[in-house]
Amino acid sequence: MQDKVLKTLEYDKIAEMLKANTVTCGGHELAEAMCPKGNFEDVKSALALTAEAESMFIRMGRSPVDAFPDMRECLKRIHAALFVSPGELMGIGKCLRAARFAKESIQREEGHVLLNNLAEYMSTHRSVEEEIDRCILGEEEIFDGASPELARIRRAMRQTNERVRERLGSMIRSAAYSKYLQEPLITIRNGRFVIPVKQEYRQNVPGLIHDQSGSGATLFIEPSAVVELGNEYKKLMGQEQEEIERILAELTALIAPYSGDILENIRIMGELDLAFAKAKLAKDMRAVEPKLNNSGYIRIVQGRHPLIPKETVRPIDIWLGKDFRTLIITGPNTGGKTVTLKTVGLFTLMAESGMFIPADIGSEISVFDSVYADIGDEQSIEQSLSTFSSHMTNIVGILDRADDRSLVLLDELGAGTDPVEGAALAMSILEELHSRNTVTVATTHYSEVKAFALTRDGVENASMEFDVDKLCPTYRLFIGIPGRSNAFEISRRLGISESIIESARGYLKGEDVRFEDVISSAQSSYQLAEEERAMAKEARRELDRLRAETEAERKKLSQDKAKLQAKAREDARRIVDETRREMDRLVADIRKLRTVDQRAADRVIQQSRDSLRKRENDLAEPMILPTEDNTKPPKTVHPGDTVRIVSLDKKATVLSAPDAKGEVQVQAGVMKVNVKLSDLRMAKDDAPRKGAGKIRLEKDRQIGMELDIRGMLVDDAILVVDRYIDNAAISGLSEINIIHGKGTGALRAGIQDYLRTNKRIKSFRLGNYGEGDAGVTVATLKPLK
């Protein structure tokens, strides 16, 4: 691809935007060196990699590639170096950490084959990375624990430092020395601890002079009392430096065998960085992955030039390469013709570079071997080239190389010379490119070129719309309609008198007038059709909105109905519970009356309890909640099939096959009815109905397997046992133990008499040895139906 074409189509600016989204040295360089590919498979693979990166970027919320310093030069010389600096070691550690994080992040995500293939080639050396992190704290700082020797030396240095400061501190605080000092402080000069002494008192403070102030009024003296300690501290500093160099050499030797792996990691991280930069740029541009083809077909749906601000850019729809391979665009100046040309060319170059295009879904781009463009005014005074000459120079080069695998973009073809000759030359150039089956987009003002497009198969006109009333372009592209010049209308609205305009019309040829009238009529019809289409589209959107609102309201009503039914059931259950408690109270009162026949009273009580349980069971019946039926009616049914009648929400059995009217005779319970086949759904006998719920009786908080009633009166104990049996049955217990004790046996007899009348009890017996003997009654419950 020619650099001149890339610059003309402003591809270099897109590359700069891409570079701004990269974070690694390799990513920067790849973005700078990026150029379109002409091989279909290469382009397809590059777009697939960007698609995977976009998917992972959306799922992670960030790129797995972290920034790290460029350590390539350091790694290349690491074999020859005795040791590298702590800052360089820290940079290498960051490279290792970034590579490990990227590899682990990519391999953790599934379904990203191309990214995984790249990550697979990266090497992780966790032990080396951790050793660097352990030893290196900063650009010039080594951890004390990097080695036992370094820890010993620094401990000794701290102790020596404290002793020196302690002695100097006592000196600067003493009355004997403080009057000789410029300031009461301790400082360091040339690695030695000193105090600032006034020049005139030099003889009063014995010691070594290490420095003096700029004015000479202050001398920095190391007192004799700390010289020996200073020497010791200086010696320890030398030992510290030797140990640091040994540690750095050891770490350098540790890294050296893996320098090639780390360099390869940096290279692969650059490729990953570029892929995720493309994904980030696509997100910023609201770009989509274009469908690819190799046949020269281009279709751009609501394409937005990426270099025009989002607030002002006007989307365009354009297509060519299938029914026609040459498109001639006409329209007013500043009407968007050149932007359309550049959009087509730039989108092609972006797609061929593995980048998404800022357009809508449905856009399609062809892969071309080469893209040529002659756009803009390139006159050169130095080379004595006029506008026309510079255009022709470019076109000569294009005609030398263009073929059926080329995309050619020509702006203002034939302009800059005599209109008649320019139009003729333009038509000849277009004819030549058309004969080569080259995909061509050209802009022009010449009416002759418009007529040329109408008479050639595979050549189509297009125009940029112009609002005559507002005297401004609308930037809408109409394919199939040639553009009008609008010169007379614009002149009239700008104030040219009608007489001059009518005189100008007289100079036009009759066929030119008729041609312009035909174009005007076609444009009016096209605009009317577009307006009606837009109105129909808006009406359809409104209809969809109303349908969605209606459906949402219907669902809300169904849900409200279900809630009301559930509340009614709950209220009924509460009333039954209250009735039960009231009945228990009455039973207790009846049994306290000694004049009442106890056996007759027990029978009446048990009948009342049975009636109450029946009501509870009625409330526990399944309540079918309204559900969404998304299944389709069966095409046919056969006698014996189990179906569900949608309108009645009842199961039924098919008695006969569908008749000519599509009706089927079914039996629902004892009722035989004829229903439409469309009102039936195949029943799933084994699967529970979605949305079906069951209101169950509440059991007491926690039911154990035994009940202790020792010490109770018989009547009170029966009330407790009765409720316990109900709760145990609801909890699914099959056997319970009732502890009544031995005593006189009256409580045991009363309970066992009651158990004989309780319909939930299957059988009962006294406890065996180890179960409580005669002090316990073991009852077996019937399964709850």
Side-chain angles (χ1 to χ4, degrees), residues 40-59:
F40 181 80
E41 292 301 324
D42 290 346
V43 175
K44 185 178 177 182
S45 178
L47 281 174
L49 182 62
T50 304
E52 288 188 9
E54 182 193 45
S55 172
M56 185 174 291
F57 184 85
I58 291 171
R59 291 180 64 177

Side-chain angles (χ1 to χ4, degrees), residues 165-186:
R165 287 185 175 278
E166 183 178 346
R167 291 191 183 182
L168 291 178
S170 64
M171 290 180 67
I172 64 177
R173 287 192 298 271
S174 69
Y177 285 100
S178 60
K179 60 187 177 182
Y180 304 136
L181 302 181
Q182 197 72 260
E183 289 181 85
L185 58 82
I186 302 169

Side-chain angles (χ1 to χ4, degrees), residues 295-553:
S295 60
Y297 177 59
I298 296 174
R299 177 181 178 82
I300 297 173
V301 181
Q302 292 291 286
R304 305 171 295 278
H305 196 288
L307 299 178
I308 300 177
K310 297 176 183 177
E311 302 78 25
T312 57
V313 66
R314 301 294 182 90
I316 62 165
D317 293 315
I318 186 171
W319 63 93
L320 74 156
K322 188 172 287 185
D323 298 328
F324 54 91
R325 292 177 73 87
T326 301
L327 184 65
I328 299 171
I329 304 175
T330 52
N333 292 324
T334 70
K337 300 189 301 299
T338 303
V339 171
T340 301
L341 274 184
K342 287 187 173 183
T343 300
V344 173
L346 185 57
F347 278 18
T348 300
L349 298 179
M350 289 174 67
E352 290 182 346
S353 302
M355 300 173 67
F356 289 2
I357 60 174
D360 287 356
I361 294 174
S363 298
E364 189 167 351
I365 297 293
S366 175
V367 177
F368 295 96
D369 290 346
S370 52
V371 177
Y372 302 105
D374 177 52
I375 299 174
D377 186 358
E378 298 184 13
Q379 61 179 332
S380 171
I381 297 175
E382 292 180 359
Q383 299 178 17
S384 300
L385 291 176
S386 65
T387 300
F388 177 76
S389 299
S390 66
H391 280 302
M392 284 302 108
T393 302
N394 288 338
I395 290 172
V396 167
I398 292 172
L399 291 175
D400 286 342
R401 294 182 291 271
D403 55 21
D404 62 341
R405 297 285 305 145
S406 302
L407 172 64
V408 175
L409 308 170
L410 303 172
D411 190 26
E412 299 293 353
L413 184 59
T417 188
D418 177 75
V420 176
E421 293 182 356
L425 191 58
M427 289 186 288
S428 179
I429 292 169
L430 291 172
E431 183 71 56
E432 175 62 23
L433 291 172
H434 185 57
S435 67
R436 300 182 188 182
N437 207 29
T438 303
V439 177
T440 306
V441 184
T443 67
T444 185
H445 285 289
Y446 296 137
S447 298
E448 293 86 349
V449 181
K450 304 176 194 175
F452 166 79
L454 293 173
T455 59
R456 293 292 190 281
D457 290 335
V459 181
E460 188 61 85
N461 271 307
S463 60
M464 303 303 298
E465 185 183 33
F466 186 84
D467 190 331
V468 178
D469 295 330
K470 297 179 181 178
L471 295 180
C472 65
T474 64
Y475 304 102
R476 294 170 61 192
L477 179 68
F478 293 150
I479 294 180
I481 305 289
R484 297 180 62 202
S485 67
N486 294 309
F488 291 157
E489 286 78 3
I490 293 172
S491 300
R492 179 185 295 111
R493 292 190 173 275
L494 291 175
I496 299 294
S497 67
E498 190 66 32
S499 60
I500 294 176
I501 292 174
E502 286 303 318
S503 175
R505 287 184 184 277
Y507 290 108
L508 291 176
K509 297 178 181 179
E511 57 269 23
D512 292 338
V513 175
R514 287 191 296 273
F515 183 68
E516 287 294 321
D517 290 342
V518 169
I519 291 175
S520 177
S521 176
Q523 280 187 338
S524 298
S525 300
Y526 189 90
Q527 290 173 4
L528 182 61
E530 281 291 304
E531 290 173 1
E532 291 178 350
R533 186 175 69 85
M535 291 171 61
K537 190 175 181 180
E538 181 62 30
R540 186 169 67 249
R541 279 200 297 266
E542 181 66 15
L543 181 62
D544 291 342
R545 185 184 64 79
L546 291 174
R547 184 183 290 115
E549 289 179 357
T550 303
E551 181 66 17
E553 188 65 24

